[in-house]
Amino acid sequence: MNKFRSLNIRKIQFSSDLHSIRLFSATSASYDKFKCKALVVGGGTAGCSIAAKLASVFGKNECIILEPANDHYYQPMFTMIGGGMKTLSQVRRSMASVLPKKAKWIQDAAVRFDPDDNEVITKQGHIISYELLIIAVGLQLCYGKIPGLEEALSIPNGNVTSIYSPKYVDRHLNALNRFENGNIIFTFPASPVKCPGAPQKICYITEHFLRKTKKREQAHIMYNSSLPTIFGCKAYADALWKVANGRSIEVNLKTNLIEVHGDKNVAVFASMDNPNEKKSIEYSILHAVPPQSPPQVLLESKHLTNEAGFVDVDKATMQHVKYPNVFALGDCASSPNSKTMAAIAGQVGVLNKNIESFLKGKPLRSEYDGYASCPLVTGYDSCILAEFDYNLQPKETFPFRQDVERYSMFLMKRDFMPFLYWHLMLNGWWNGPASFRKLFSLFKRN
Ligand SMILES: Cc1cc2nc3c(=O)[nH]c(=O)nc-3n(C[C@H](O)[C@H](O)[C@H](O)COP(=O)(O)OP(=O)(O)OC[C@H]3O[C@@H](n4cnc5c(N)ncnc54)[C@H](O)[C@@H]3O)c2cc1C
């Protein structure tokens, strides 16, 4: 680490100029310069898992993790919190406790990527140079893109809820406990989302909650999705239509939430086919899923990203298409898989092998096939375990039919997955269920 105390060299890069320009400024602050073998930007699911693998190979402090947050959340449990099956404190751990001990954590955010000079500039003005860069900054939640939504979510004990953020996740159960009668509306935004199954899971959990508390007849439940289909993979879409129809949930496709009037409890929707076709609906509870996008730093890094702002990687190797020493994984990568933790488990082993080959100057042979899984919890005792690949073809692990609701899959989601996450995945020891699939295939009936 070098300290620029006397000169305080600050690196500033103009957005139109890919080559950096160093400016010298006489401020009282000091900026550090760090150097490492591997720089992992983001310490969420993806960053933490890959850093654990790399740090154990490269040795103490040769891997730096750049991550601003104090806390790490196991986000797949947010749906369970919405139904009162878990609490926020059960799914939160301090960042310091989950990041690999052999890696160096810099608690700061990347504000500029300079892949031509192999450097990343941080918000506090530090410069980190690397041999390898792994980008894992996830997706940002853009509640502000829907007029009135943030205001409605700020009303104490209000009727608008959202399990997507730790800030709001507790509101849903509170609203359910207060519910007496009326419309309960669930939304799916017109943007990429993490876990595209989650907006539906919370809807089915809510429906079961109302049956359990004898309030089902007082509720009209609507699932309004901007998508043209209920779920991307047809095998599970068929199963989900049965669940929704069987429970009298009104499903409106190509219907996008565009405005919320929290003071009047009214949500405005527009047709995806004709944006001028609008409909206002009064709600007793509105569960809103925010539009999502890659974080700002990527939206401003055009040289690294595709048009939508995702890090432009080869979808099989996860290596950047222009900069060979840059890789990405997780929700911010351009690979067209369903953005889930399960997908990251599939990517992390591939990435680890390809990085090893890259460092040895060999061709990258390990390939990610787009595997993603979504435990579609449909209530307090049932779950459909969806598993599929880039072609949206089922890629199932277990030797029984997975397109039906099962108690065993619910238990796996609620009780086993958290253990797997905290103890195996974040320590770099879980590369997805491929070897179990192989084993179970011996018992599969065709
Ligand atoms: C409600 C909900 C339910 C879900 N259910 C499931 C499920 O059942 N199964 C499943 O497999 N997946 C599920 N997921 C999805 C899963 O949680 C995500 O796909 C996964 O966490 C993504 O990991 P990531 O590391 O890419 O992003 P994140 O875990 O979001 O981490 C990104 C990290 O990058 C950091 N960061 C951001 N910007 C910067 C910057 N400029 N510099 C440095 N660091 C930065 C952030 O602070 C953050 O810690 C669910 C998600 C939600 C929200």
Side-chain angles (χ1 to χ4, degrees), residues 9-11 30-33 108-109 111 121-127:
I9 298 175
R10 179 130 203 221
K11 186 166 186 181
S30 73
Y31 305 106
D32 293 332
K33 179 150 179 137
D108 198 351
V111 289
I121 320 300
T122 76
K123 194 171 175 189
Q124 291 169 26
H126 306 312
I127 302 168

Side-chain angles (χ1 to χ4, degrees), residues 27 47 397:
T27 65
T397 300

Side-chain angles (χ1 to χ4, degrees), residues 41-48 66-69 71-79 95 108-111 113 136-139 141 163-165 194-195 198 201 292 295 297 329-332 338-344 373-376 413 417 421:
V41 183
T45 307
C48 198
L66 184 61
E67 164 61 63
D71 294 317
H72 181 115
Y73 292 94
Y74 178 36
Q75 299 169 53
M77 281 298 131
F78 286 176
T79 37
M95 195 57 83
D108 198 351
V111 289
F113 291 101
V137 289
L139 287 173
L141 305 175
I163 55 154
Y164 264 71
S165 161
K194 22 184 164 185
C195 193
K201 297 181 210 181
Q292 290 156 53
V297 66
L329 79 165
D331 292 354
C332 72
S338 178
K339 303 300 185 198
T340 59
M341 172 216 124
I344 295 167
S373 125
C374 189
L376 294 153
K413 160 83 182 174
M417 297 300 283
Y421 185 74

Side-chain angles (χ1 to χ4, degrees), residues 37-148:
K37 264 205 169 71
L39 170 60
V40 178
V41 183
T45 307
C48 198
S49 310
I50 190 69
K53 282 188 188 287
L54 299 180
S56 71
V57 176
F58 292 156
K60 188 107 183 128
N61 292 345
E62 286 295 346
C63 176
I64 288 180
I65 303 171
L66 184 61
E67 164 61 63
N70 287 322
D71 294 317
H72 181 115
Y73 292 94
Y74 178 36
Q75 299 169 53
M77 281 298 131
F78 286 176
T79 37
M80 308 298 261
I81 296 175
M85 289 176 263
K86 297 274 177 183
T87 61
L88 190 56
S89 61
Q90 284 176 310
V91 314
R92 176 181 53 212
R93 297 215 175 157
S94 72
M95 195 57 83
S97 71
V98 297
L99 294 180
K101 300 287 170 281
K102 280 192 178 165
K104 180 180 180 63
W105 174 26
I106 297 179
Q107 192 170 14
D108 198 351
V111 289
R112 182 167 299 284
F113 291 101
D114 188 0
D116 292 307
D117 283 347
N118 296 322
E119 287 180 346
V120 168
I121 320 300
T122 76
K123 194 171 175 189
Q124 291 169 26
H126 306 312
I127 302 168
I128 308 174
S129 59
Y130 56 80
E131 289 173 34
L132 271 176
L133 171 67
I134 295 101
I135 306 176
V137 289
L139 287 173
Q140 63 177 345
L141 305 175
C142 311
Y143 285 100
K145 279 196 178 165
I146 297 178

